Amino acid sequence: MEQTAFTLQNARCLVIGAGRIGMLLARKLYALDAQVTVSARCTRDFARIAAAGLHALDTRRLVGHLAGFDLIFNTVPAPILTTEVLSDMKPPCFIIDLASLPGGVAADTLLPDGCRVLHALSLPGKVAPLSAARAVFDTVDTILHEEGIL
């Protein structure tokens, strides 16, 4: 919050990505009385977002839908935030990129004047490597069980 002139209460927040970190972050923001929208790509995720009482947005259709957000948190480790996607952002919008490398903000992205990005890439692995490793293990283990490999 040192980076903004406002608190999370009533802040309009977009969390890009409905994976483990994205949904955990979205629920925490909601508990802090933020207005939370989560973007995802699949029907299952849209159902989880709705069940959590949050708004949903299709990650594949972000263009033209970012003007209403104060804070954008990215958890998708792919360069989806391009100049075109971010073109309608309104100052003082702030992007916090939490994804693993390469992050979600494309290298050649031009931000609208007055908007900023905080690159906090791969933060869990940097500050809590044991917890990050456990999360990766649990995810891989779950996938292998779902696929019937284990």
Side-chain angles (χ1 to χ4, degrees):
M1 297 291 61
E2 294 172 355
Q3 301 289 325
T4 66
F6 52 88
T7 66
L8 289 173
Q9 186 176 19
N10 291 318
R12 297 161 302 172
C13 299
L14 171 63
V15 177
I16 301 173
R20 180 182 300 211
I21 299 300
M23 287 304 294
L24 177 65
L25 174 60
R27 287 191 295 270
K28 298 290 185 190
L29 291 168
Y30 183 76
L32 292 169
D33 204 25
Q35 299 173 34
V36 183
T37 299
V38 180
S39 78
R41 295 180 301 168
C42 69
T43 304
R44 182 184 78 212
D45 289 335
F46 291 133
R48 285 189 320 135
I49 293 164
L54 307 170
H55 302 284
L57 185 60
D58 192 320
T59 303
R60 297 164 295 192
R61 295 178 180 85
L62 293 175
V63 174
H65 295 282
L66 301 187
F69 296 105
D70 303 309
L71 292 165
I72 297 173
F73 298 88
N74 178 63
T75 67
V76 176
I80 60 171
L81 296 174
T82 62
T83 300
E84 179 186 16
V85 169
L86 300 178
S87 65
D88 71 323
M89 285 176 44
K90 301 292 184 230
C93 188
F94 188 41
I95 299 169
I96 302 173
D97 198 349
L98 301 171
S100 299
L101 292 171
V105 180
D108 61 348
T109 296
L110 299 174
L111 293 174
D113 288 338
C115 296
R116 298 176 298 131
V117 175
L118 172 65
H119 295 281
L121 304 178
S122 303
L123 198 55
K126 290 176 184 173
V127 299
L130 292 177
S131 296
R134 173 47 99 186
V136 170
F137 172 82
D138 290 345
T139 300
V140 171
D141 185 59
T142 299
I143 291 169
L144 293 175
H145 277 91
E146 287 176 352
E147 296 294 321
I149 296 170
L150 290 181

